[in-house]
């Protein structure tokens, strides 16, 4: 009986050690990604996004295309028919179809549990536990997935899978699984760093849009 108890204790310690090891590996890889991508002066990222919720019968096909230019905390994002411009303090959302502009203090709100494209490179830094996932092959590229589980048990997000190009240490894919059964996927289709960009890319020309007849809130 004593031998059996020792065996169970040994197995428990081994499993715990493996879990801690995979967690440390995942954190190390995320740190490498953060260091690599955070060192660029700016990044131009093209992506596809898709949403599937089989229970609700929702699927967007073909995927929605988007593009974002990031420089530090600033970004210019074209997504879902809107242009989001954040200068580090104020967020301007330009709806070209409705000819409306909304200006607010602070960044995009995450209270709805959605990881916005502007957060792809930073969302994982707080509020998640990490573990190593599968190593997949995507058109000759080795993609190492990391599983992220929210620390908050009441989170609207159940699980996130972050795919990282093992060679470049760049984020390639993000899969977000919500508590409502929705599965949102972002796949990076284009990536350029340290590009020459306009100094006005992250600013809003109010007079320009007033002349075009936009309503500005």
């Amino acid at each position: 009986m004593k031998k059996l108890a020792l065996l169970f204790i040994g197995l428990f310690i081994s499993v715990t050690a493996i879990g801690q090891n995979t967690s440390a590996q995942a954190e190390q890889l995320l740190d490498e990604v953060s260091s690599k991508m955070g060192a660029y002066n700016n990044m131009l990222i093209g992506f596809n996004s898709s949403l599937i919720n089989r229970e609700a019968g929702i699927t967007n096909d073909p995927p929605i295309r988007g593009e974002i230019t990031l420089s530090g905390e600033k970004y210019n994002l074209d997504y879902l028919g809107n242009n989001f411009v954040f200068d580090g303090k104020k967020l301007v959302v330009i709806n070209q179809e409705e000819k409306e502009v909304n200006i607010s203090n602070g960044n995009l709100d995450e209270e709805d549990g959605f990881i916005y494209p502007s957060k792809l490179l930073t969302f994982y830094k707080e509020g998640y536990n990490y573990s190593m996932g599968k190593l997949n092959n995507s058109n000759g590229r080795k993609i190492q997935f990391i599983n992220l589980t929210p620390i908050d048990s009441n989170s609207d997000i159940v699980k996130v899978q972050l795919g990282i190009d093992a060679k470049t240490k760049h984020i390639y894919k993000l899969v977000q699984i919500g508590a409502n059964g929705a599965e949102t996927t972002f796949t990076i289709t284009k990536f350029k760093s340290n590009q020459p960009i306009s100094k006005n890319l992250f600013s809003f020309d109010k007079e320009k849009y007033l002349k075009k007849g936009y309503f500005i809130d």
Side-chain angles (χ1 to χ4, degrees):
M1 192 68 180
K2 187 180 291 185
K3 289 182 179 180
L4 187 60
L6 289 172
L7 176 62
F8 277 117
I9 292 171
L11 286 171
F12 175 77
I13 292 172
S14 298
V15 170
T16 302
I18 291 170
Q20 291 174 341
N21 186 44
T22 59
S23 176
Q25 285 179 314
E27 186 173 7
Q28 181 180 352
L29 181 54
L30 287 173
D31 286 343
E32 287 184 56
V33 172
S34 179
S35 177
K36 177 76 178 286
M37 301 186 80
Y40 297 129
N41 293 325
N42 59 67
M43 290 174 284
L44 172 63
I45 299 172
F47 61 88
N48 288 337
S49 74
S50 63
L51 171 65
I52 297 174
N53 190 332
R54 293 179 178 85
E55 293 181 7
I58 298 173
T59 176
N60 62 290
D61 187 26
I64 299 170
R65 297 179 181 274
E67 187 169 285
I68 185 170
T69 300
L70 295 135
S71 180
E73 293 184 353
K74 301 177 182 179
Y75 61 83
N76 187 308
L77 166 67
D78 286 311
Y79 185 57
L80 294 173
N82 295 310
N83 182 215
F84 301 80
V85 181
F86 183 61
D87 64 2
K89 295 180 180 179
K90 290 186 177 182
L91 173 67
V92 180
V93 181
I94 304 168
N95 186 321
Q96 297 177 348
E97 184 176 342
E98 301 293 334
K99 299 191 74 171
E100 291 182 355
V101 177
N102 180 267
I103 303 174
S104 59
N105 291 319
N107 206 337
L108 284 167
D109 191 359
E110 294 181 344
E111 290 183 358
D112 55 5
F114 182 73
I115 299 173
Y116 288 92
S118 60
K119 300 289 186 179
L120 280 177
L121 308 180
T122 58
F123 81 93
Y124 56 81
K125 292 186 177 182
E126 294 181 1
Y128 288 91
N129 291 317
Y130 317 131
S131 66
M132 294 295 281
K134 295 179 180 179
L135 179 64
N136 290 349
N137 187 303
S138 178
N139 297 321
R141 299 167 66 184
K142 291 184 178 180
I143 307 300
Q144 176 64 61
F145 279 89
I146 293 178
N147 298 320
L148 300 98
T149 307
I151 295 173
D152 181 3
S153 59
N154 295 318
S155 172
D156 291 326
I157 299 173
V158 174
K159 184 180 180 181
V160 177
Q161 295 174 312
L162 192 65
I164 296 168
D165 188 311
K167 182 178 180 181
T168 64
K169 298 299 188 294
H170 289 166
I171 293 174
Y172 169 69
K173 179 175 286 191
L174 178 145
V175 181
Q176 173 186 315
I177 301 170
N180 61 356
E183 184 175 304
T184 306
T185 301
F186 289 102
T187 304
I188 293 178
T189 57
K190 178 175 68 174
F191 181 90
K192 295 181 180 180
S193 61
N194 298 334
Q195 297 295 294
I197 59 176
S198 169
K199 62 180 182 180
N200 299 319
L201 185 64
F202 307 113
S203 61
F204 173 64
D205 187 342
K206 184 176 180 179
E207 293 301 318
K208 172 185 173 182
Y209 285 92
L210 284 173
K211 289 178 181 178
K212 288 184 176 183
Y214 278 67
F215 172 75
I216 300 178
D217 184 5

